[in-house]
Amino acid sequence: MRYDVTIIGSGVGSLTAAALLAKRGLRVCVLEQAKYPGGCASSYKRQGYWFETGATTLVGLDAHMPLRYLLDETGINVPVQRLEPPMQVHLPDGQTVTRYGNLEQWITEAERVFGTYNQRAFWEHCYKVSQQVWRTSLQQQSFPFSNLEDVLLSGLRARPGQLMLLPKAFRTMEEVLRKYDLLQNQLFVDFVNEQLLITAQSYLPEVNELFGATALCYTLYNNYYVPGGLINLVKPLEQFILSKDSIIKYGREVMLVKSLRDGYRLETNRGSISSRFMISGIPLINTLQLFKEEQMQQRLKPYVLESGQLNGAFTMSLVLRAEEAKQVLHHQLHVPEGLPEIGSKSIFISFSHPEDKLRAPEGEMVASISTHVHHPQQCIIQNKTALEQAILQVLVQRGLFKRESIIRVQSATPGGWIFWTKRAYGAVGGYPQYRHIKPWQMKDARLDHRGAYLCGDTVYPGQGIPGVCLSGIIATNKLLQDHY
């Protein structure tokens, strides 16, 4: 059977594009190599427990944000519980800072921990920038430009406030801290750096103000928990797609994409599928490997980042005795001395909600742990047990749980990510921000300017669930703009 659109992968970007295109009446076929939808924002079941695959935090449901747009366009409902406060950060000096969702509360907390000097001015500035960025992101769905029509449409949609954002693409977050005379506050600098690492995959000297201010303010928007895990964020999308005479085929790994005169043929491990259009929702380097045509190779190679520019992750999944309810589910812990084997200086842990009996039975809870592994292709973890024990020791010392509460531990290196997700190098979190790469220099949604498109976490914008969702919205918009 020939489809209107085939989509490779079933991550949030892919499912966003599939849902919006199916709503328009196009017959869509999503090809997923795994047995669950959601990619790096999903859940998996093991020995009766539901663990998060990758992402654990959910934002993007406020006004002017991508998930809100998607749900409003499709009428999909997702069961969520609002978290307040969203997160705590355990600093190297022993203090704990609570990232409240209310701006005034957060500024008061930041002043308590980091001192009153210029904290208010800095955070009010970042929050204002983040609001402008989110409003602009849905207004300017033709950005980055890759043809004249994009430029014309963006000009028609331009608003005065959007032009004020342009200089911020040239300024780094290090320069913003210098402007507010905060670089001498080392505790604050360390805090900002580790927060940027989990949201923008990079540090102050590299992250530009547009991405950085928005990344630092994600806890100032509504944060949610999905009962049963993030699989229940993507399942409603799956059900919507199937209800629109479209299909998702699991266990289908795409091996080759062949450009035809009137479309594309995708060779999979279980036969070939043809369509008029195609969207790749897998990483750019994996996408490049699917196309053998020299022209496509030359077109995409300049945008591909190698392992030395990327981050992988060492992840752990715990089953714990629920001795007391967790008031805050998400925690980042600073490890200034660095973890063995990988040198990472922070750990992120997310607990299941105490009322969630879908992921663990009464009296138990699950927890997901991750820490960055830079240059994952080169960083071979020789002693996984030693790294596990070092991470558990930090978590126990900071009072996140007691060692005797641990029922079960399992962990995965970047090699595990390659095995389960097929992602090149086991890279996670999207492309890091680098100051020499401006937003308009990032790969846009068009792959070949014929009928092939790209979404996911290695395309603009492609950071976190809201960014990946936005990438699916943009890919859909450009496909419809070009052909309908």
Side-chain angles (χ1 to χ4, degrees):
M1 178 179 289
R2 181 178 167 88
Y3 296 90
D4 295 314
V5 187
T6 50
I7 301 180
I8 305 172
S10 69
V12 170
S14 295
L15 294 180
T16 296
L20 294 174
L21 290 168
K23 183 199 172 196
R24 286 289 300 260
L26 279 71
R27 191 136 200 272
V28 180
C29 176
V30 179
L31 303 172
E32 170 55 57
Q33 59 89 22
K35 62 180 180 179
Y36 294 123
C40 294
S42 186
S43 314
Y44 66 95
K45 191 175 186 179
R46 181 168 293 175
Q47 298 178 329
Y49 300 93
W50 281 95
F51 300 102
E52 300 294 31
T53 303
T56 58
T57 60
L58 178 63
V59 295
L61 289 170
D62 295 66
H64 310 296
M65 296 183 80
L67 277 172
R68 178 77 276 141
Y69 172 89
L70 173 63
L71 300 187
D72 288 347
E73 284 289 307
T74 58
I76 293 171
N77 290 308
V78 176
V80 294
Q81 294 173 255
R82 185 170 177 267
L83 298 179
E84 181 54 43
M87 178 183 177
Q88 286 183 325
V89 181
H90 303 260
L91 301 172
D93 67 351
Q95 294 188 82
T96 297
V97 57
T98 300
R99 297 226 56 185
Y100 292 103
N102 175 273
L103 179 61
E104 281 300 317
Q105 277 186 287
W106 165 238
I107 291 173
T108 299
E109 176 74 346
E111 289 180 334
R112 179 187 71 83
V113 175
F114 303 115
T116 58
Y117 183 68
N118 272 351
Q119 286 292 318
R120 173 171 294 277
F122 174 80
W123 288 107
E124 287 180 343
H125 171 77
C126 288
Y127 186 58
K128 182 178 179 181
V129 171
S130 72
Q131 289 180 307
Q132 292 171 326
V133 167
W134 284 123
R135 275 194 291 266
T136 300
S137 66
L138 286 174
Q139 293 168 346
Q140 291 290 0
Q141 294 181 31
S142 296
F143 187 83
F145 314 137
S146 58
N147 64 22
L148 181 58
E149 188 176 6
D150 283 348
V151 178
L152 294 174
L153 286 171
S154 291
L156 290 172
R157 297 166 183 158
R159 303 290 184 272
Q162 296 171 6
L163 299 177
M164 294 172 62
L165 291 175
L166 189 59
K168 296 173 174 54
F170 295 91
R171 187 161 50 230
T172 67
M173 286 305 297
E174 185 176 57
E175 292 170 316
V176 176
L177 261 69
R178 183 176 294 113
K179 172 185 173 183
Y180 288 97
D181 196 21
L182 290 169
L183 285 177
Q184 83 286 353
N185 187 337
Q186 193 58 50
L187 186 66
F188 184 63
V189 169
D190 292 342
F191 165 80
V192 171
N193 266 327
E194 294 305 320
Q195 288 280 281
L196 286 176
L197 185 61
I198 60 173
T199 49
Q201 301 295 311
S202 199
Y203 293 115
L204 280 166
E206 299 292 345
V207 182
N208 72 53
E209 186 178 0
L210 287 180
F211 285 104
T214 306
L216 287 177
C217 289
Y218 83 97
T219 52
L220 295 175
Y221 294 86
N222 288 322
N223 282 238
Y224 295 95
Y225 178 86
V226 182
L230 284 174
I231 187 72
N232 291 323
L233 166 67
V234 295
K235 275 188 173 180
L237 293 171
E238 175 193 47
Q239 292 161 6
F240 178 87
I241 292 161
L242 297 178
S243 74
K244 297 296 180 181
D245 197 32
S246 290
I247 192 167
I248 302 177
K249 294 178 180 285
Y250 294 104
R252 298 295 180 96
E253 182 178 356
V254 178
M255 318 300 290
L256 177 70
V257 177
K258 177 71 175 177
S259 300
L260 306 174
R261 181 180 57 83
D262 60 346
Y264 302 86
R265 184 172 71 247
L266 285 73
E267 302 291 346
T268 80
N269 58 333
R270 296 168 64 183
S272 62
I273 295 175
S274 297
S275 61
R276 184 180 175 193
F277 308 111
M278 63 85 57
I279 298 174
S280 176
I282 61 177
L284 188 55
I285 189 167
N286 293 82
T287 302
L288 178 68
Q289 293 166 356
L290 297 180
F291 287 89
K292 303 306 179 187
E293 295 99 329
E294 183 62 28
Q295 185 178 16
M296 185 67 87
Q297 292 281 317
Q298 292 177 355
R299 186 188 298 273
L300 298 185
K301 276 184 179 178
Y303 297 100
V304 171
L305 298 185
E306 298 299 331
S307 174
Q309 300 168 288
L310 301 173
N311 293 305
F314 181 79
T315 60
M316 296 174 64
S317 298
L318 305 184
V319 180
L320 301 164
R321 292 184 182 87
E323 297 179 347
E324 57 184 50
K326 296 293 180 185
Q327 300 302 312
V328 181
L329 300 188
H330 304 300
H331 299 259
Q332 186 188 41
L333 297 93
H334 288 219
V335 189
E337 68 277 12
L339 291 168
E341 300 268 341
I342 58 176
S344 175
K345 295 189 175 183
S346 66
I347 302 165
F348 196 86
I349 181 169
S350 295
F351 295 95
S352 59
H353 197 283
E355 299 173 6
D356 189 353
K357 303 304 183 289
L358 298 173
R359 296 182 62 191
E362 185 78 36
E364 296 180 0
M365 65 172 65
V366 296
S368 300
I369 300 168
S370 62
T371 187
H372 282 78
V373 177
H374 184 64
H375 201 337
Q377 185 182 42
Q378 178 177 285
C379 185
I380 307 300
I381 297 171
Q382 303 288 349
N383 191 340
K384 191 166 77 166
T385 301
L387 180 53
E388 284 180 357
Q389 291 305 312
I391 291 171
L392 292 176
Q393 183 178 351
V394 171
L395 296 170
V396 169
Q397 285 178 342
R398 295 309 300 264
L400 272 297
F401 52 80
K402 298 175 182 176
R403 189 170 285 272
E404 55 266 29
S405 298
I406 302 172
I407 298 173
R408 186 170 300 149
V409 179
Q410 59 193 43
S411 62
T413 66
W417 273 88
I418 296 172
F419 179 78
W420 291 110
T421 69
K422 313 296 184 184
R423 292 171 66 93
Y425 312 126
V428 299
Y431 271 5
Q433 299 300 311
Y434 289 107
R435 60 182 173 182
H436 68 278
I437 302 174
K438 305 308 178 191
W440 54 85
Q441 295 173 315
M442 299 174 73
K443 185 71 191 84
D444 87 305
R446 294 187 185 93
L447 283 172
D448 63 359
H449 291 263
R450 287 183 58 247
Y453 297 83
L454 180 70
C455 66
D457 66 2
T458 58
V459 67
Y460 173 88
Q463 285 271 333
I465 291 177
V468 172
C469 178
L470 180 57
S471 78
I473 295 169
I474 291 174
T476 299
N477 177 72
K478 292 202 172 186
L479 188 156
L480 296 174
Q481 173 186 311
D482 293 346
H483 302 284
Y484 290 90

